[in-house]
Structure formats: C-alpha cells, structure tokens
Amino acid sequence: MNATVLDGRVLGSFRQGRWRTSLDTVALPGATGTAPGTALALVPEIVAAADRRWWDTTGRRRLADFPRETRRTLLLRALDLFDGGTVTIGGLGAQSAGDFRTALWDVAGLPAPLVDRWCALLRARLLGRRATAPPDDALALVSLPGNTFTCLESVLEEAERSGAVWIRPSRREPLSAARLLAALLAVGWPPERLGFYPAQPAVLHRLVTLTDRQTVYGDAEVATSVRASAALTLHGPGRACALLPGHLRGAAAADWLLPLVAGDSGRFCTNVRTVVCTDHAEETAEALAAALDAISPYPTDPALPLAATRDHRATDRVIRSVQERLRPGDRVVTRRPPTADSPAGDRYPLPRLVLAGGRVTGSRDVPPLAGYEAPFPFAVVVRATEAGAAAVAERALFVHRPDRSRTA
C-alpha cells in the first residue's frame, strides 16, 4: 500500500549494491517527533526475482577474495559504529548513536537502557562465536522479527560465511537492520554482498525460494507460511519454562524467576512463559507477582526496563487473548491493570502473571496459556506432578532449572 509520508522521508531498500526507493511504501509506527511521518520502501516479488538474476549473472562474478579474518575485523568495527557512531542510511541520511536511540524509542518504544544492553549483547555474541562452516558463495536470507534486534546476530553469522546476505527486516522495526547494513558499508564491506529487502508478509515465501540458505524468525503463523528445506533454519516460539524443585519457594523462587520472566522486556524466546511448581505454587506465584508489580515503566527501571507499545490495537488484542485463554479456576495474580500511560502519553504493557487452577499430570492437562508468548513480560504458574512437569518441558525449546547449590 502507498503511505502518506508527512516529512518526505522514506527508508529505502538496498539492492544491487545501492540504496533505492520505491513507490510501494508503508508508514512506520511512531509516537513523537518525525517517526510517524517516515515510511519504509517495500520490495515487490518481481523485483526480488530480478535481483536474484542479477546476483547470478553479475553480483557473484564481482566477488573478490574476502578472508574470514578480514570479515571478523570488519564486523567488529561495524558493531562499534552501530552502537556509538554516525552512519548514513538511504533515505534517512546521517544518523548518530543518539539519533538511533531516539528513533527506536519513537518507532518501537524501546528505552535507551534496553538498546544499550542489546548492542552489548550483539558484540559479546560475535566475540564468543566460533565459526565452523567454511565460507561459500551462497546467497543467504535472514528474515528478522520485530521484538528484538539481537536477532541481527544471524545477519553477522551469515555475513561471515556467505557470498551475500539479504536482510528482510520487520516492518514494525526496520531501523536497527538498516543501521547495521549502513555500518557495514561504512567500514568497507563490499556492497554487492549485502541486501536490504523490506517486504510484505506474502513475499517472504518467494524470498525463501529465491535464496540458497535461509534463517527465518517468527511465530507459528510464519512457520506455516515458509517451505521446509534442509537449507532453512526456522526460529519459532521458544515456549520457555522454568522447573522449580520443591525446596525452592516464595521470595527465593521469585528472586530467581524475576529476570527470567521480565529480563529484556520479555522480548526473548528464552524468557520464561511457564513456571512449573511441584509444590508451593500459590506462595511462589504471589511472591513473583509482587516483584513484577514493583517494576517501574517510568522512570525506566535500569535493571529491568520495560518497552512502550506503539501499536495499541495489537497490544489490546494480546491482552484480550490472554483473558480468553483463562479457564475456570485460573487467576491473574499481578495487581496492576494490563497497561499504564505515562505523563508523556506513552503506553506500557505491564507484566502479567497467571496462576493456573488444577494440577498438570500429563500432556492433556497443560493449560492453554502455558508457553504463550506475549511481547511483554508474561508467564503462567502451574501446579504439576513430576509427569506433568515433564509434559510441559517436552513442549519447550528452553528449560530453566535453578542451581540447587545456590538456591537451596
């Protein structure tokens, strides 16, 4: 769809080694400043197909030797720029580190402490990763989510090993991906090895078929929209859970659980969504609820910063969905309302905790809210037998267990 661009700025695509604009645009979300007047240029399917032909006939032939050691050095320099430097982004112009944080706040509601933490995480992950696969000339695709820009780690990984990497950013938050690409260009990354392909959801399947290797982030709906292949890595719902032994309860359990549930504004697939208690479930739920209710959205809690929402309708749908999944006997144990508005007019989804009624004894008893992923800190506490705990853990990609020596 064509968007009305109030301030005349369009964040472009990057194709065939150049920033480009498009007649097909979509407005970015936003709250203040110029963000509501900024649009995102979309790449149609037919253009992406033409770019694949260009890659096969021209782009790949331009590739010069690009050793892994050189790539790693440039990636680290690019992350320095991404975090603290000034880069030039097609359609937006020069963007300082402060401009970047302001834009992320305007468009995605991400507070500066969260942006700082995520930038540090990206660098730490790059430094901690050991490359295993040998470099090749494959054309790779990374399709990103809108919940966190730490998934740019996959872009760094593919840049280090692939002939070229096409980035499909989230239409909710494309700014971080565009900034990383601009930082790579600024440190001397060959432009033909990069692509920035904002696209409608329906085009994702075509981008998958056009590329040689794919990394796709998304929910269950995205998972069903892409083809399965040996070249596709799909990062879907994590359904992370925490298994509490009988000796861990109340305040001690809440101290351990709080960062797992509320860390990173609840945006990671590793954030705990289900707390499984074999005993003392109500005591633990009440203690954790009190800790969640104590997190301040404004002023921002520096240890556990909460993100604001820029899509009120989507947030309301998630909150309704939680309510609709409640069963008789389930109880919301956090005491604050679902959202809070700051004096500046920003809306924050507040942490929510549900204590499920009944007891899980097997896979048939797992409540509908177990593993439910909301774009804010949310979890359900369930009572379970040992067999029920195993059934919950079997559904989860990430299972957290406390270290008995520290928590006993």
Side-chain angles (χ1 to χ4, degrees):
M1 60 182 170
N2 290 332
T4 301
V5 186
L6 301 180
D7 66 358
R9 299 195 308 167
V10 179
L11 171 55
S13 62
F14 191 84
R15 304 172 28 251
Q16 298 185 22
R18 291 170 45 205
W19 289 104
R20 301 170 186 267
T21 188
S22 172
L23 295 177
D24 190 12
T25 61
V26 63
L28 295 183
T32 60
T34 60
T38 302
L40 175 67
L42 301 177
V43 177
E45 180 178 327
I46 190 171
V47 172
D51 288 346
R52 173 67 211 219
R53 292 192 294 271
W54 173 87
W55 168 252
D56 289 332
T57 59
T58 305
R60 186 182 276 116
R61 294 181 182 179
R62 293 181 179 176
L63 299 184
D65 186 43
F66 198 23
R68 171 164 277 155
E69 295 76 14
T70 303
R71 299 188 193 204
R72 177 62 67 98
T73 298
L74 292 181
L75 289 176
L76 288 169
R77 290 178 185 170
L79 284 183
D80 286 342
L81 272 179
F82 179 85
D83 184 4
T86 296
V87 299
T88 301
I89 302 172
L92 303 186
Q95 183 191 72
S96 69
D99 295 335
F100 175 51
R101 283 155 176 78
T102 298
L104 283 183
W105 171 249
D106 284 342
V107 168
L110 299 181
L114 199 58
V115 176
D116 294 342
R117 168 171 163 74
W118 288 358
C119 286
L121 277 175
L122 270 177
R123 185 176 184 84
R125 289 177 179 179
L126 177 61
L127 289 170
R129 191 184 72 242
R130 292 186 176 181
T132 54
D136 56 33
D137 65 351
L139 175 58
L141 169 72
V142 178
S143 182
L144 295 164
N147 57 316
T148 169
F149 67 73
T150 58
C151 296
L152 289 170
E153 177 187 13
S154 291
V155 174
L156 302 176
E157 182 178 358
E158 287 300 340
E160 191 171 1
R161 68 176 290 204
S162 305
V165 56
W166 286 3
I167 308 167
R168 178 184 178 263
S170 165
R171 294 187 303 152
R172 286 180 291 152
E173 193 285 277
L175 300 175
S176 57
R179 181 172 173 85
L180 178 61
L181 186 142
L184 287 168
L185 292 171
V187 299
W189 203 272
E192 65 271 10
R193 291 183 178 269
L194 297 170
F196 185 69
Y197 283 76
Q200 297 283 8
V203 180
L204 174 58
H205 176 77
R206 183 58 173 148
L207 289 173
V208 168
T209 63
L210 286 170
T211 50
D212 304 319
R213 182 167 54 239
Q214 307 86 27
T215 302
V216 176
Y217 291 85
D219 55 18
E221 184 178 347
V222 170
T224 60
S225 71
V226 296
R227 64 177 176 86
S229 77
L232 172 66
T233 300
L234 180 64
H235 296 278
R239 301 189 182 92
C241 71
L243 303 183
L244 269 66
H247 72 275
L248 187 62
R249 58 193 286 188
D255 287 344
W256 177 65
L257 288 167
L258 182 63
L260 295 176
V261 173
D264 298 293
S265 195
R267 298 294 190 96
F268 285 7
C269 58
T270 53
N271 280 114
V272 165
R273 307 296 181 174
T274 311
V275 178
V276 183
C277 298
T278 56
D279 204 355
H280 311 296
E282 185 161 355
E283 178 186 354
T284 296
E286 293 289 353
L288 179 57
L292 290 169
D293 280 339
I295 299 173
S296 172
Y298 52 89
T300 300
D301 186 318
L304 297 170
L306 297 178
T309 178
R310 297 303 182 224
D311 189 337
H312 294 186
R313 291 182 182 178
T315 300
D316 289 344
R317 283 196 299 270
V318 172
I319 293 170
R320 286 197 305 270
S321 182
V322 169
Q323 202 67 29
E324 291 165 357
R325 285 173 163 81
L326 292 175
R327 305 175 305 175
D330 294 349
R331 177 165 63 94
V332 178
V333 284
T334 39
R335 300 186 184 278
R336 291 187 292 185
T339 62
D341 291 343
S342 75
D346 297 305
R347 178 161 295 175
Y348 292 83
L350 297 178
R352 302 275 276 173
L353 187 70
V354 172
L355 174 61
R359 184 177 293 273
V360 178
T361 60
S363 58
R364 294 184 179 180
D365 302 324
V366 177
L369 280 172
Y372 183 77
E373 296 191 352
F376 51 84
F378 171 81
V380 57
V381 178
V382 301
R383 305 169 177 91
T385 64
E386 294 296 336
V392 174
E394 187 176 356
R395 294 156 49 103
L397 290 178
F398 304 97
V399 179
H400 300 268
R401 294 179 174 85
D403 179 352
R404 188 182 181 94
S405 65
R406 288 190 294 105
T407 58

